[in-house]
Amino acid sequence: MTNTAATKTPSTELEAAGTGALASTQGSTTIADTVVAKVAGLATREVSGVHALGGGAARAFSAIRERIPGASASVAQGVSVEVGERQAAVDLQILVEYGVSIADLARSVRKNVITAVEQITGLQVVEVNINVSDVHLPGDDEGDDTQAATGRVR
């Protein structure tokens, strides 16, 4: 007869206890909402076809903030999360590039966000909701002065 207790690893002991990777007999780890939001925001921006995150007002505020010396745009802009002890839910608001299949983009974003959040935080992602708020058209950049130069009204 073999002793199974001697062959258990710490991770299998945690799984057997039902506590998951973030808690053990030696203590627990909590992950702040802002951490999950930043990870999800960065993972979303990694996907080709995502132009920006956030609604129009948030993007406008971010553009102003970027022009202030020493200030930086928020990585978590356009990301809302709910974080529990072992699970997280993510809501994203994105602006997509024109010509990109939104269904394919949503699948890619969802997969990338789930993978990144689960690998980095150890939390199980139960859902990733994506709200496509706008489509970015070529030449629609906020800093683009060609519109003013070719416009009819000055």
Side-chain angles (χ1 to χ4, degrees):
M1 191 165 184
T2 60
N3 183 356
T4 57
T7 59
K8 284 187 177 181
T9 63
S11 63
T12 57
E13 288 176 5
L14 292 174
E15 290 170 11
T19 57
L22 296 174
S24 74
T25 56
Q26 297 172 323
S28 65
T29 303
T30 56
I31 310 282
D33 292 6
T34 54
V35 172
V36 176
K38 286 181 180 183
V39 170
L42 290 169
T44 300
R45 285 176 174 82
E46 289 175 353
V47 178
S48 179
V50 174
H51 182 73
L53 274 81
R59 289 192 319 268
F61 181 70
S62 178
I64 292 169
R65 185 173 40 210
E66 286 177 358
R67 293 184 177 155
I68 299 171
S72 63
S74 172
V75 176
Q77 173 184 306
V79 182
S80 174
V81 298
E82 291 181 39
V83 178
E85 291 180 20
R86 295 182 207 131
Q87 297 178 327
V90 180
D91 294 326
L92 302 169
Q93 188 170 10
I94 65 173
L95 173 72
V96 301
E97 295 286 346
Y98 175 76
V100 173
S101 167
I102 293 174
D104 291 342
L105 179 67
R107 269 190 294 277
S108 296
V109 166
R110 196 169 279 115
K111 180 181 177 184
N112 208 43
V113 168
I114 290 170
T115 300
V117 171
E118 288 184 349
Q119 285 182 349
I120 293 172
T121 67
L123 295 167
Q124 176 192 16
V125 179
V126 293
E127 65 182 25
V128 176
N129 299 309
I130 300 170
N131 176 22
V132 179
S133 61
D134 203 354
V135 175
H136 178 261
L137 302 173
D140 270 358
D141 294 326
E142 292 82 19
D144 191 6
D145 291 333
T146 59
Q147 180 76 19
T150 60
R152 292 179 20 190
V153 180
R154 290 186 189 222

